Each structure stands twice: as C-alpha cells, then as structure tokens.
C-alpha cells in the first residue's frame, strides 16, 4: 500500500513544479504567507519545503530583504546534461537489448501523445511526455532508480529545457523527430545510430543555449548573482 504524501512533501513538489515551469520566475520574491494562501497549507510544511529547496539551491535568502527564487545556473544545467549523456547512452543500449513488443508499444504511444500535445500547442503536456519517454526507456532497461537519482540533481537543466519549450522560435518538431528516430533505432537494434542520436539530443542544449539566454536574460545566474547567493549561503550555513 502506497503511503499518502505528507503535507511537507506535497508542498515541496508543488513549489518545485512552479519553479521548473517558471510560474515562480527566477529572481522572484516569495514568502511563507503567500505560499500558504496559494497552497492552502499552514506555515510548518511550507517552511520545511522551503528549507529543502534552499538546500538544493533553488531558492536563496537575501539578508534583510527576503526569500527569492534562484536564477538558473547554466553550469549546473550543463553538468546535469553531461552526466545524463554519459549514463543515457549506456542505458538506452540496455533498453535496446531488453525491449519487447509491449515496451515498443508503450514508447510509440508516448510519442503519439507528445505529437498530439505539439499539435494542440499544449506546452506542459509536451514537456511531460518528453520526460516520460526517457523515464520509460530507463524502466525498460531496469534502471528506474538511476532516473530517480538524476531527477534529484538536474533541476536547473529541467528549468532550461522548459524555457526552450516556451521559446517560440525553437521548433518542437526537432524533439519529436528525434524521439521517432530513437524508437526506430531501438526497433532495428542499431547500436551506433543510437549512440549518435542520444549524443545529438543532449547536445541540443549547447546548440540552443545562447538563443534561449538571449530571450530570457534576467532568468540566468550572472557572476554578481552567484556572489550574492554565496554570501547568503554562508549565512545559512552558520559562518
């Protein structure tokens, strides 16, 4: 029997989702009272959730000013991208070797749902099925625990990926076409092509980074921002 999530866990997941989707924009000031009203929760679970998010570097406190959503750290995002590339190439090969007809059917269904989301211009569904596609591949490979590990440390990459989705000039078809090619490669068991496709997919961030940053310059961490956050974290850690 699955235990229901605690109020703190619910609060954490809701706030985290709002940070990833930029509902709470990078640099935005937030407060326990306002969050309590939005989430219809008391201060204790909100405070505990914010503490967890602060430990992850997703919010920071400016002394005598307040609590702010941290800006997107491109270095952290690229480290997550690099880690995912190293792991994903191997795990996708395991998926390729272990997949059965049911797995192929599941991946095809996910791609169809993502294409439908693209047709309807449903950004959140498109983003959701983008992640579900790879999560399912990890599950087929028997590596779902690694997927959970990665999700705990790739939030800045997820935030960047979301901004990529909402940048009008960047075509969603590039993503869905890559997924279709990956599925074809799984079906044909083409190992070399699989490695190439995974590398190309994860290098998309490097190719599009400057353009996305130019569209949302205030959303990304600058050197001055990093220094101010370092000061607040020194205070947080008791120095």
């Amino acid at each position: 029997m699955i235990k229901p999530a605690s109020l703190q866990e619910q609060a954490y997941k809701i706030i985290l989702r709002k940070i990833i989707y930029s509902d709470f924009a990078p640099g935005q000031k937030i407060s326990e009272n306002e969050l309590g009203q939005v989430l219809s929760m008391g201060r204790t679970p909100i405070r505990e959730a914010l503490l967890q998010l602060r430990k992850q570097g997703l919010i920071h406190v400016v002394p005598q000013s307040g609590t702010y959503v941290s800006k997107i750290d491109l270095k952290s995002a690229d480290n997550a991208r690099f880690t995912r590339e190293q792991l994903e190439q191997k795990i996708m090969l395991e998926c390729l070797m272990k997949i059965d007809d049911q797995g192929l059917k599941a991946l095809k269904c996910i791609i169809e749902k993502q294409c439908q989301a693209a047709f309807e211009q449903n950004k959140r569904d498109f983003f959701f099925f983008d992640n579900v596609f790879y999560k399912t591949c990890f599950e087929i490979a028997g590596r779902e625990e690694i997927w959970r590990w990665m999700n705990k440390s790739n939030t800045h990459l997820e935030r960047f990926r979301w901004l990529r989705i909402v940048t009008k000039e960047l075509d969603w078809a590039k993503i869905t076409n890559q997924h279709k090619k990956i599925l074809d490669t799984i079906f044909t068991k083409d190992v070399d092509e699989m490695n190439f496709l995974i590398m190309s997919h994860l290098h998309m961030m490097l190719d599009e980074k400057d353009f996305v940053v130019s569209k949302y310059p205030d959303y990304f961490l600058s050197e001055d921002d990093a220094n101010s956050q370092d000061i607040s974290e020194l205070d947080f850690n008791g120095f």
Side-chain angles (χ1 to χ4, degrees):
M1 181 177 179
I2 299 175
K3 295 174 62 177
S6 67
L7 286 176
Q8 182 270 332
E9 187 178 355
Q10 292 177 44
Y12 168 76
K13 288 181 177 179
I14 293 170
I15 299 169
L16 176 62
R17 188 160 54 245
K18 287 183 176 294
I19 290 173
I20 289 174
Y21 287 132
S22 293
D23 294 332
F24 293 158
Q28 178 179 333
K29 186 176 182 178
I30 57 177
S31 73
E32 289 181 15
N33 288 337
E34 291 172 352
L35 289 170
Q37 293 174 5
V38 172
L39 276 60
S40 299
M41 290 184 186
R43 296 186 65 179
T44 298
I46 298 291
R47 188 180 299 117
E48 291 173 348
L50 290 178
L51 180 61
Q52 186 175 352
L53 291 162
R54 190 174 176 184
K55 288 179 179 178
Q56 290 181 264
L58 296 175
I59 61 172
H60 66 280
V61 175
V62 177
Q64 299 180 334
S65 177
T67 300
Y68 294 83
V69 177
S70 298
K71 295 187 178 183
I72 299 170
D73 186 339
L74 280 173
K75 183 177 180 181
S76 177
D78 186 53
N79 283 335
R81 180 207 62 78
F82 177 81
T83 301
R84 184 169 165 177
E85 179 183 338
Q86 303 309 305
L87 291 171
E88 200 161 291
Q89 284 186 319
K90 295 178 176 61
I91 289 170
M92 290 299 290
L93 292 181
E94 290 187 340
C95 173
L96 179 151
M97 299 306 296
K98 293 180 179 180
I99 198 166
D100 56 16
D101 289 343
Q102 185 176 353
L104 285 168
K105 184 178 179 180
L107 292 179
K108 183 179 179 182
C109 181
I110 293 165
I111 292 173
E112 289 173 351
K113 289 179 179 178
Q114 189 179 31
C115 289
Q116 182 64 27
F119 176 76
E120 296 172 353
Q121 288 295 291
N122 188 324
K123 298 179 180 67
R124 299 203 179 199
D125 277 0
F126 185 88
F127 187 75
F128 172 76
F129 286 116
D130 190 38
N131 278 330
V132 169
F133 179 82
Y134 290 99
K135 179 177 182 288
T136 303
C137 289
F138 275 59
E139 289 171 349
I140 291 168
R143 302 294 183 180
E144 55 268 37
E145 185 176 8
I146 294 178
W147 179 264
R148 292 195 295 271
W149 290 346
M150 290 197 312
N151 272 349
K152 292 179 180 179
S153 58
N154 72 350
T155 312
H156 287 287
L157 177 59
E158 289 293 280
R159 297 170 77 191
F160 175 87
R161 289 179 55 244
W162 171 251
L163 290 182
R164 191 268 180 212
I165 295 297
V166 300
T167 300
K168 294 179 180 179
E169 293 86 349
L170 297 176
D171 190 3
W172 294 0
K174 184 175 182 180
I175 296 173
T176 53
N177 287 338
Q178 284 184 336
H179 287 173
K180 290 175 183 177
K181 290 178 180 178
I182 288 171
L183 183 60
D184 288 343
T185 303
I186 290 173
F187 182 77
T188 59
K189 310 291 187 184
D190 190 332
V191 172
D192 291 335
E193 182 67 9
M194 174 64 78
N195 282 330
F196 172 75
L197 288 172
I198 294 302
M199 183 181 67
S200 297
H201 185 73
L202 290 169
H203 274 233
M204 193 183 300
M205 174 191 169
L206 302 179
D207 297 336
E208 299 173 343
K209 178 182 67 176
D210 290 343
F211 190 79
V212 173
V213 172
S214 73
K215 291 294 180 179
Y216 301 93
D218 296 334
Y219 280 22
F220 291 89
L221 195 67
S222 67
E223 187 172 338
D224 289 341
D225 293 326
N227 290 336
S228 66
Q229 287 186 201
D230 286 343
I231 291 172
S232 69
E233 289 311 307
L234 284 174
D235 178 66
F236 174 62
N237 288 301
F239 289 93

